Amino acid sequence: MTDAAPTLRELIGHPLLAAATPLSGDDDLDRPVTGVTLIDPAETGLVRTGEIAVCPAVPAGYLSSWRLDAVIRRLRDQRAAALALPVPGPGGETVLDGSRRLARHLHLPILGIGTAPLRWAGAAVALVHSPAVDAADRLRRAHRALTRGLLSPQDVARALAAILERPVAVFGPDGTPIGASFEPPPGFDPHAMVAQILTVDGGTTVVVPVPGATSGTAGLWLAAALGPAPATWARGARDVLQAGTLAVQRWQATRRVVLERDARLRAGLFGDLLEGRLGGGDARQQRAAEIGWRLDGWHVAFHLAALGQVDLLGHSDAVAAAIAAERIDAIVVERGDGWSAWTTGRTEPDQDASRDLLAALQRVRHRLAGRFDCAIGVGRGYLDASGLTRSLAEAWDAARLARGRPQTGRLVHIDRLGLAQLLVAWASTETFAPTATRLLGPLESQPGELTATLSAYLDAGGSAADTAAILGVHRNTVAARLRRIEELLTVDLNNPDDRLALHLACRVTQDHHPGSA
């Protein structure tokens, strides 16, 4: 099976031929091109069907006289693909508007070549008749560029963009752009571990997977936005990108060794921190300082608990990047089921700082959602190393509780648990639990997730706006659900006693049925 002839639009979209621009409009650029021939406008040479007629030099007076119109008519009769002319220099002759209109009427595109016409014609011949030569040259250049040193995924993308002369981007495992200049095209499937060549609205994007640590999954994707591109060029770009995946894998393997070494160091120091052995200015405290750990000042710890099986080391860079992207200056350490982290400041954090941190951590959760789901617990602010240990313990406990609270966005601050947790412990008795179930029973048979909405509303302190943000629905939807809840339960959500009883009932039923929310 042979490839279809490239169209005129695809050819002039190639970097080697980008110096050609349509002078008579772009309505007739989708015709196939079968070759290139040089012509002298003063002679009646033969031009075959589908060929681009390249005029290396235009005699004086041709562009502003009837003679160009005669050339246009002759090439139309010979069914040429296009007429290519050198772009005149400053003050030179230009194609008359009448000639442009005639070319449009006869459906013969006129191209203006902004470089040496003979060089352009040679490149066009090569791309039409021997596209594999250009593809092989770019692949050779890619191998040379990618083997000169260890390159990060972003460095690989920049190197390949210079070789393909087109934008190259890095996508995450789920197709989310990572500092990319363009989005994945419609039809891209991040779950299909194969190279994908996608053409949408005349533009072609090539996406290839970088195999992940788990078999059958993509750790990253490399993508090139080619614009209009013949199939041969798209396949050549695919091969260049696949060479890039090998460079990314080399970087990942080396990075993994570095991460494992650093993780062992961090784990040892972190264990010393939790056991209270990093005080007194000993060698361990000095090592902690050398890797950037501040143990003096006010600390607020938080813990990101991954839900499900997650390669912690494989995602450590992504977690640190997501935290940094939200302007949280934190130390991050792999710990147990996830990552513990803490921020350090000179003054005791106030309520505004705590609120800002919680909002930023919720955004961190959303940033990581394409990789894995997680629950986040936040401790209180405490002073110095002993206080940091206490805050870390609180964050760990809060994260465990956050796992079963999707209605709070799986984000829990230890300060919001104190008295409520004591009340729930009292209420979770054989006497109260059935009562709580009966109290909320009218909501269970109704559509609209009324129980989850009520729980989220009460956990959000009675804020309909915060409830809407947590549930991912419109505020008017929350308001309508709350009115329906009041009708079904015959309660007044503005009454503190009613709110307390309902809040306890929601907490008790959640703890008895943690998967129901």
Side-chain angles (χ1 to χ4, degrees), residues 303 335 377 391-402 412 414 417:
H303 182 74
R335 179 191 183 190
S391 187
L392 285 165
E394 291 180 349
W396 177 273
D397 291 338
R400 286 194 303 167
L401 293 168
V412 169
I414 197 70
L417 295 176

Side-chain angles (χ1 to χ4, degrees), residues 38-47 59 62 70-71 74-75 78:
L38 302 179
I39 68 166
D40 181 345
E43 298 181 3
T44 57
L46 176 64
V47 177
Y62 260 76
V71 173
R74 173 163 56 85
L75 292 177
Q78 294 177 328

Side-chain angles (χ1 to χ4, degrees), residues 407-408 451-463 467 470-471 510:
Q407 72 279 358
T408 66
T451 303
T453 300
L454 175 62
S455 181
Y457 174 74
L458 295 171
D459 280 345
S463 169
T467 305
I470 291 170
L471 298 178
Q510 286 169 206

Side-chain angles (χ1 to χ4, degrees), residues 18-263:
T21 55
L23 300 181
S24 57
D26 58 0
D27 293 337
D28 299 298
L29 301 180
D30 294 314
R31 57 184 59 197
V33 176
T34 59
V36 179
T37 189
L38 302 179
I39 68 166
D40 181 345
E43 298 181 3
T44 57
L46 176 64
V47 177
R48 294 182 179 86
T49 299
E51 290 185 333
I52 301 175
V54 179
C55 182
V58 180
Y62 260 76
L63 296 183
S64 57
S65 73
W66 59 269
R67 284 175 285 192
L68 178 60
D69 294 351
V71 173
I72 293 173
R73 292 182 181 277
R74 173 163 56 85
L75 292 177
R76 191 284 305 266
D77 293 340
Q78 294 177 328
R79 302 176 68 182
L83 167 62
L85 304 167
V87 174
E93 289 183 272
T94 59
V95 178
L96 296 176
D97 288 341
S99 298
R100 297 173 193 259
R101 288 195 297 270
L102 176 64
R104 286 195 295 270
H105 176 70
L106 298 179
H107 303 289
L108 179 76
I110 300 178
L111 304 179
I113 304 175
T115 186
L118 292 178
R119 183 180 303 165
W120 188 91
V125 169
L127 290 175
V128 171
H129 296 293
S130 302
V133 174
D134 174 68
D137 179 65
R138 292 179 189 272
L139 185 58
R140 176 189 59 81
R141 290 163 53 197
H143 280 295
R144 289 187 61 185
L146 298 174
T147 54
R148 290 176 177 173
L150 198 62
L151 302 176
S152 70
Q154 287 73 24
D155 290 335
V156 169
R158 283 189 286 269
L160 298 184
I163 291 165
L164 293 174
E165 301 178 66
R166 287 294 181 267
V168 174
V170 180
F171 298 154
D174 63 339
T176 302
I178 301 177
S181 57
F182 60 90
E183 298 283 333
F188 167 61
D189 183 0
H191 303 293
M193 271 290 293
V194 294
Q196 301 172 49
I197 299 177
L198 307 164
T199 300
V200 179
D201 296 332
T204 297
T205 303
V206 181
V207 191
V208 300
V210 179
T214 304
S215 177
T217 63
L220 293 171
W221 295 85
L222 291 177
L226 303 181
T232 51
W233 186 30
R235 289 198 297 270
R238 176 199 61 194
D239 294 341
V240 169
L241 292 178
Q242 286 176 334
T245 66
L246 298 176
V248 173
Q249 286 182 291
R250 285 196 301 273
W251 180 86
Q252 289 176 325
T254 304
R255 178 65 179 159
R256 180 85 182 193
V257 172
V258 174
L259 286 174
E260 289 176 352
R261 181 198 64 200
D262 292 347

Side-chain angles (χ1 to χ4, degrees), residues 142-426:
H143 280 295
R144 289 187 61 185
L146 298 174
T147 54
R148 290 176 177 173
L150 198 62
L151 302 176
S152 70
Q154 287 73 24
D155 290 335
V156 169
R158 283 189 286 269
L160 298 184
I163 291 165
L164 293 174
E165 301 178 66
R166 287 294 181 267
V168 174
V170 180
F171 298 154
D174 63 339
T176 302
I178 301 177
S181 57
F182 60 90
E183 298 283 333
F188 167 61
D189 183 0
H191 303 293
M193 271 290 293
V194 294
Q196 301 172 49
I197 299 177
L198 307 164
T199 300
V200 179
D201 296 332
T204 297
T205 303
V206 181
V207 191
V208 300
V210 179
T214 304
S215 177
T217 63
L220 293 171
W221 295 85
L222 291 177
L226 303 181
T232 51
W233 186 30
R235 289 198 297 270
R238 176 199 61 194
D239 294 341
V240 169
L241 292 178
Q242 286 176 334
T245 66
L246 298 176
V248 173
Q249 286 182 291
R250 285 196 301 273
W251 180 86
Q252 289 176 325
T254 304
R255 178 65 179 159
R256 180 85 182 193
V257 172
V258 174
L259 286 174
E260 289 176 352
R261 181 198 64 200
D262 292 347
R264 287 193 294 270
L265 172 62
R266 289 194 301 267
L269 289 174
F270 194 70
D272 291 336
L273 172 63
L274 295 180
E275 295 295 329
R277 296 195 295 265
L278 285 188
D282 60 10
R284 284 174 293 205
Q285 186 175 15
Q286 182 177 351
R287 286 200 301 272
E290 288 172 351
I291 64 172
W293 290 16
R294 280 187 56 190
L295 301 179
D296 59 334
W298 286 88
H299 309 285
V300 176
F302 54 93
H303 182 74
L304 282 76
L307 305 182
Q309 292 295 112
V310 173
D311 177 11
L312 297 187
L313 278 180
H315 291 293
S316 286
D317 282 344
V319 170
I323 292 173
E326 293 302 331
R327 301 180 182 276
I328 304 173
D329 184 10
I331 302 298
V332 183
V333 181
E334 298 84 3
R335 179 191 183 190
D337 61 351
W339 299 265
S340 284
W342 66 90
T343 65
T344 303
R346 294 182 178 180
T347 59
E348 183 177 4
D350 56 19
Q351 290 186 349
D352 289 342
S354 297
R355 184 173 58 252
D356 292 343
L357 177 61
L358 289 175
L361 288 174
Q362 193 64 271
R363 293 193 295 272
V364 168
R365 233 185 122 245
H366 292 317
R367 285 180 179 273
L368 296 172
R371 292 175 173 267
F372 56 84
D373 196 8
C374 65
I376 303 179
V378 185
R380 299 182 183 91
Y382 294 105
L383 190 62
D384 296 336
S386 59
L388 173 56
T389 301
R390 186 176 178 184
S391 187
L392 285 165
E394 291 180 349
W396 177 273
D397 291 338
R400 286 194 303 167
L401 293 168
R403 284 174 171 270
R405 285 173 167 74
Q407 72 279 358
T408 66
R410 298 197 194 279
L411 175 62
V412 169
H413 192 293
I414 197 70
D415 265 341
R416 298 186 178 181
L417 295 176
L419 180 59
Q421 288 300 108
L422 293 175
L423 289 173
V424 169
W426 163 78

